[in-house]
Amino acid sequence: QKEVEQNSGPLSVPEGAIASLNCTYSDRGSQSFFWYRQYSGKSPELIMFIYSNGDKEDGRFTAQLNKASQYVSLLIRDSQPSDSATYLCAVIRQAGTALIFGKGTTLSVSS
Amino acid sequence: EPEVTQTPSHQVTQMGQEVILRCVPISNHLYFYWYRQILGQKVEFLVSFYNNEISEKSEIFDDQFSVERPDGSNFTLKIRSTKLEDSAMYFCASSEGRTRTSGTQYFGPGTRLLVL
């Protein structure tokens, strides 16, 4: 079983729509959860982190965490063509320091 | 805004040669990391470093790899005898700490390593 799983996509949404990105993780002891954005050929760029069950909002982005289901999601409201990128879900396991990444979901926002 | 910097941006080397990749972490950060990403694959953790010691390493980080903080600002990754399969983008990252609030890792722009 892969540690962090994401649907590779591509996920295509029209400009202005809500994009929903999902991630599951296998280590129930995982403590911290992150969403990074990666443009082609570039480094991961932090969008937001979450470590408590529930929702966390930051501008157009909302992260959702459900530890019982081992599930993390990212909602992007009012999607823009500039949001077109690969979105990486990452977790830090209990007592660890390493970010364990999923393969990423490619998002395409059409104008 | 403070950022992680890496040099060189690109490195081409012959198989069997040694390479050193350099990073300057964010100045008040205490934890440093190396990751790699083979083209088309996921970002993989190599090693984390704190207080001049390795705090965690992955199975990828074998004896051909080493890390060092040679002075107060640089953090280096050495690959002793490069193999074709070491061709990848190598990212350095740093964080203030390792708690939930301080453990957020910020990435440098990466060094693209090509082994011929």
Side-chain angles (χ1 to χ4, degrees):
Chain A
Q1 183 183 11
K2 294 176 184 173
E3 289 208 56
V4 179
E5 293 207 53
Q6 298 181 253
N7 189 327
S8 61
L11 173 65
S12 297
V13 300
E15 184 175 357
I18 295 175
S20 177
L21 304 158
N22 306 312
C23 170
T24 58
Y25 59 94
S26 61
D27 185 347
R28 190 169 284 279
S30 296
Q31 295 290 301
S32 303
F33 308 86
F34 301 82
W35 284 100
Y36 285 84
R37 177 172 61 195
Q38 188 176 33
Y39 293 108
S40 182
K42 302 296 185 182
S43 62
E45 173 192 4
L46 179 72
I47 297 174
M48 61 193 306
F49 65 89
I50 187 169
Y51 50 80
S52 298
N53 275 328
D55 295 358
K56 179 182 178 183
E57 187 174 318
D58 184 1
R60 296 187 295 114
F61 300 96
T62 298
Q64 299 173 317
L65 174 61
N66 183 327
K67 288 186 179 179
S69 301
Q70 296 174 242
Y71 176 87
V72 195
S73 67
L74 180 71
L75 299 178
I76 307 174
R77 288 181 298 283
D78 188 23
S79 296
Q80 302 296 309
S82 57
D83 294 328
S84 299
T86 298
Y87 288 79
L88 309 178
C89 173
V91 307
I92 295 181
R93 294 170 294 197
Q94 188 172 28
T97 56
L99 279 169
I100 308 300
F101 282 89
K103 293 188 73 173
T105 298
T106 300
L107 173 67
S108 177
V109 182
S110 55
S111 56
Chain B
E1 184 174 321
E3 58 184 21
V4 178
T5 59
Q6 291 185 242
T7 54
S9 58
H10 293 79
Q11 174 101 41
V12 181
T13 190
Q14 295 292 322
M15 189 170 54
Q17 294 296 302
E18 174 183 288
V19 295
I20 297 176
L21 310 183
R22 292 182 168 79
C23 167
V24 178
I26 295 172
S27 62
N28 64 331
H29 285 190
L30 300 178
Y31 283 81
F32 316 122
Y33 312 83
W34 284 102
Y35 293 83
R36 79 173 185 189
Q37 187 175 30
I38 295 170
L39 190 64
Q41 298 189 23
K42 66 179 181 179
V43 177
E44 300 174 291
F45 169 75
L46 294 178
V47 66
S48 60
F49 191 85
Y50 169 72
N51 199 26
N52 282 320
E53 289 184 347
I54 290 174
S55 52
E56 188 177 356
K57 63 181 181 178
S58 72
E59 293 174 352
I60 303 168
F61 194 86
D62 61 21
D63 290 345
Q64 70 163 329
F65 292 95
S66 62
V67 288
E68 191 180 30
R69 187 153 165 84
D71 54 44
S73 58
N74 288 283
F75 178 52
T76 63
L77 174 69
K78 181 190 290 186
I79 309 175
R80 261 180 272 283
S81 178
T82 50
K83 305 170 188 170
L84 296 177
E85 54 265 37
D86 293 328
S87 295
M89 182 77 99
Y90 288 80
F91 295 113
C92 176
S94 69
S95 67
E96 283 184 67
R98 58 176 293 175
T99 66
R100 285 176 172 178
T101 51
S102 69
T104 300
Q105 297 178 29
Y106 297 90
F107 284 73
T111 293
R112 184 168 295 284
L113 177 65
L114 178 60
V115 182
L116 301 176

